[in-house]
Amino acid sequence: MRVIAGRFKGLELKAAKSGTRPTTDRTKEAIFSRLESWNVLEDARVLDLFAGTGALGIEALSRGAKELVSIESAAPAASLISGTFAQLRRNNAWEPGMSVRLVRKRAEQYVAGYTRLPRHETMVPGDAAPGPQPEAVGETGSVQPFDVIFIDPPYAFTTEACNRLLADLATSGLAVSGTVIVLERSTRSDEPKPPAGWRITDRRDYGETAVHYIEAV
């Protein structure tokens, strides 16, 4: 598996022997053709939940994004992503101002942590209380939203849990007006229900995978 296009084109992406379900190249190319047509990747802040191999977030970085936060709970997959990030930083195409961060945590726990922080509450340096991580909190202590959010959970991840995750993204301020959420699900799963003020603007099926694009109304 490799990066398809952009400044890191051809970079090899390693997958853990078990526990990950990498997005196929056909599906990935379709997703990024759509995002590029909407011009949402240039200098974007990207959140990659259930990162797996890290392929979606790294592809976004290759195609113009500047900041990437990847969330992965499984140790083998997280270790491989960390190694890939080290390669990116050494790559000749790496540019000043770019950043990549890996957070080893369950995606739903990571997002839910932000719902416990009032939108403009100031974070004290060294604060060990559960909640926001430094990569999503600005200098003023307010939550910094993402431009693109990828959600590619295991097919066993329930629709109810998926709906709760979408609601937490909106409540937390990680997803705001202008954010594009790209959600991958099995075509056999129930249709997700975005929270109030959000809607599925498009759905495309590729084999067993359904890709939903979710945006604020």
Side-chain angles (χ1 to χ4, degrees), residues 3 5-9 11 61-66 87-98:
V3 175
R7 52 192 158 202
F8 301 120
K9 181 179 179 180
L11 180 75
L61 200 70
S62 184
R63 296 183 187 230
K66 277 296 182 70
Q87 291 182 55
L88 289 175
R89 294 187 184 99
R90 295 192 299 265
N91 193 291
N92 290 335
W94 183 266
E95 298 178 2
M98 295 175 66

Side-chain angles (χ1 to χ4, degrees), residues 7 12 39 51 56 63 73 84 96-97 130 151 156 162 167 172 182 184 198 207 209 214:
R7 52 192 158 202
E12 182 179 0
N39 196 31
L56 291 174
R63 296 183 187 230
S73 62
T84 302
I151 307 176
C162 187
S172 66
V182 182
E184 291 188 45
W198 293 75
T209 301
I214 301 171

Side-chain angles (χ1 to χ4, degrees), residues 38-123:
W38 291 343
N39 196 31
V40 296
L41 292 176
E42 192 65 28
D43 295 330
R45 298 189 73 242
V46 176
L47 177 62
D48 188 7
L49 299 172
F50 306 94
T53 63
L56 291 174
I58 293 169
E59 189 73 33
L61 200 70
S62 184
R63 296 183 187 230
K66 277 296 182 70
E67 299 179 48
L68 168 62
V69 179
S70 294
I71 314 300
E72 176 54 54
S73 62
S79 178
L80 291 175
I81 293 173
S82 180
T84 302
F85 282 178
Q87 291 182 55
L88 289 175
R89 294 187 184 99
R90 295 192 299 265
N91 193 291
N92 290 335
W94 183 266
E95 298 178 2
M98 295 175 66
S99 68
V100 289
R101 295 185 181 93
L102 170 66
V103 179
R104 190 183 163 195
K105 182 177 285 189
R106 290 172 56 191
E108 58 270 38
Q109 290 178 332
Y110 175 85
V111 174
Y114 289 92
T115 67
R116 294 192 290 269
L117 181 74
R119 188 69 57 84
H120 300 294
E121 181 176 328
T122 299
M123 291 292 293

